[in-house]
Amino acid sequence: MALAQAANLIEKTIGHGDNATITTDISNYDGHGIEGTRILATTWQGKNQIKVVEIAKPKVIDSGDVIVRITGSTICGSDLHLYHGVIPQMEKGDVLGHECCGVIESVGPATKKFRPGERVVVSFPIACGKCMNCQREFFSQCSETNQNTIANAMYGNRTAGMFGYSHFTGGFAGGQAEYVRVPYGDVNLLAIPKDIPDEKALYLSDVIATSWHCVVDSGVQNGDVVAIWGGGPIGQMCAQFSFYHGAKRVIVIDGGAGAWRLDFLKRKLPKLETIDFTHLPKGESVTSILKNLVPGGPDVALECAAGEYAKGWAHYFEQLLGLETDTSELLNEMITAVRPFGRVGVTGVYAGYTNHFNIGALMQTGVHLMGNGQAPVHKYWDHLMHLILINEINPLDMVTHRYRLEDMAKVYEMFDQRKEGLQKVFIQTKFSEPAAQGAPELIIL
């Protein structure tokens, strides 16, 4: 794909980056595991190929490391970009997964906040807690945990290291496994209160905090009309959080294989309005429908889908030929749909470059375009954990299925197909407790 091609070109020009600050994994833990002790882990074996294999159990390497015994993980829509092979520097055997929770098994000598036996959730970005960006609460842009020179050349900056998200983001083994090594454990772990089950706490790793950040960063406020592109878990929680922050109307756009999500969301949020882009009246577009529904256009548009999925043939072939990495179709719909001086927030993953972007509409109508970036999870998760504790947020609203780690290859396949009814999953390991009250029961594939 185009992003991988661009990254390879840059790599040939500037060479590999190295990480002199903290030790990165080789994902299959070669040299970083406990000899003779084997664990199960979900690994990338090539485009659209996932395999659960045995690898060495991780161990403490740096003084701030914490080893977490995984009791719950999940699949995120952004994992599909890895599955499809569109994120550069994926290597065969890389351990996937950036959302997980569990029980601390061991800690490095520099760990002060946590001890073995404590239940914790793991943040998907890996922050040092001390650099300039961390001090500004830009934790997902930590300058110390990802020294990848290719990312820096492409973006002008680089994200923090991330669990299970390729060597482009530091090469850290992920949490779709039985154990994970967490660098800077005091920073990147959050204690789980005893009254909150794993099935609720887990999603603070990413989806809950990312959705909250999207809504807050895009400035959703009392009385706004909000349009959301994408009805998956992120879109669902953005809809809920938009109402929470005072939006008077929320409209979700989806279609194709994901059209079933619109009915699913309506059952969860009856006051939600929906648009199925695959069944528009003749001569109408998403933009024209929104203009008809909302005179002048919505105040805010939120992108919760991603730039990988082309709707038209032009972008399909341009991506196929490596002429662009991301389609601009949804961005153009959003820019032309919102009111003058409206706000457009981009949370769906856009990895590189796009063609046919309507920059004229952006400038001429005063639209504010915001890349919500990778969410600084640590900034919000104490507050969000409290909202879960007092039942103002219920992550189980989006959790539809529970599967075993051993079945991850099949789960990835179903998730990629947007199997009807499959919204957000909980992946259990041999260390997991039985399903909590209100959570889905285990399905063995």
Side-chain angles (χ1 to χ4, degrees), residues 166-194:
S166 88
H167 300 263
F168 195 62
T169 61
F172 295 92
Q176 291 171 1
E178 291 179 329
Y179 286 86
V180 69
R181 178 178 74 96
V182 181
Y184 297 110
D186 280 348
V187 179
N188 299 303
L189 296 173
L190 178 68
I192 302 175
K194 62 180 178 62

Side-chain angles (χ1 to χ4, degrees), residues 68 98 100-101 120-124 163 180 182 188-189 205 381:
V68 176
H98 60 271
C100 60
C101 65
V120 289
V121 60
V122 182
S123 66
F124 82 86
F163 289 102
V180 69
V182 181
N188 299 303
L189 296 173
S205 283
W381 63 356

Side-chain angles (χ1 to χ4, degrees), residues 3 76-82 86-87 98 155 162 165 206 210 234 303-309 319 325-327 346-352 373-374:
L3 179 58
C76 176
S78 59
D79 287 325
L80 294 181
H81 308 311
L82 302 173
V86 301
I87 302 297
H98 60 271
Y155 299 152
M162 297 180 195
Y165 218 78
D206 179 5
T210 292
I234 295 287
E303 209 286 10
C304 301
E308 180 188 343
Y309 308 105
Q319 288 179 301
T325 61
D326 303 284
T327 173
V346 183
T347 289
V349 173
Y350 284 73
Q374 301 290 356

Side-chain angles (χ1 to χ4, degrees), residues 224-231 235 239 243 247-254 261-263 265-276 289-290 292-295 298:
D224 277 346
V225 178
V226 179
I228 298 172
W229 275 253
F243 283 128
K248 65 180 179 182
R249 296 174 67 187
V250 177
I251 306 164
V252 174
I253 302 100
D254 210 323
R261 292 170 170 172
L262 299 175
D263 290 333
L265 297 188
K266 284 284 288 183
R267 292 195 296 271
K268 300 294 181 178
L269 295 167
K271 58 183 176 179
L272 191 73
E273 302 168 61
T274 61
I275 296 173
D276 182 346
I289 292 293
L290 282 169
N292 290 330
L293 287 173
V294 187

Side-chain angles (χ1 to χ4, degrees), residues 90-233:
M90 286 296 295
E91 298 178 9
K92 186 175 181 179
D94 282 351
V95 180
L96 300 175
H98 60 271
E99 299 174 90
C100 60
C101 65
V103 177
I104 293 175
E105 176 152 305
S106 59
V107 302
T111 304
K112 305 298 182 185
K113 288 176 59 178
F114 297 101
R115 291 292 178 265
E118 292 186 78
R119 295 173 60 231
V120 289
V121 60
V122 182
S123 66
F124 82 86
I126 302 169
C128 74
K130 295 181 179 179
C131 70
M132 180 175 65
N133 284 339
C134 286
Q135 290 299 304
R136 292 176 174 175
E137 297 189 310
F138 304 155
F139 298 101
S140 55
Q141 307 301 315
C142 174
S143 62
E144 299 301 312
T145 57
N146 178 20
Q147 301 302 314
N148 188 291
T149 50
I150 297 174
N152 197 60
M154 290 184 69
Y155 299 152
N157 293 287
R158 48 184 166 251
T159 66
M162 297 180 195
F163 289 102
Y165 218 78
S166 88
H167 300 263
F168 195 62
T169 61
F172 295 92
Q176 291 171 1
E178 291 179 329
Y179 286 86
V180 69
R181 178 178 74 96
V182 181
Y184 297 110
D186 280 348
V187 179
N188 299 303
L189 296 173
L190 178 68
I192 302 175
K194 62 180 178 62
D195 294 331
I196 297 182
D198 286 353
E199 292 92 337
K200 291 185 178 182
L202 163 63
Y203 304 101
L204 287 172
S205 283
D206 179 5
V207 58
I208 297 293
T210 292
S211 303
W212 185 271
H213 176 66
C214 176
V215 169
V216 171
D217 195 49
S218 301
V220 174
Q221 57 192 356
N222 192 54
D224 277 346
V225 178
V226 179
I228 298 172
W229 275 253

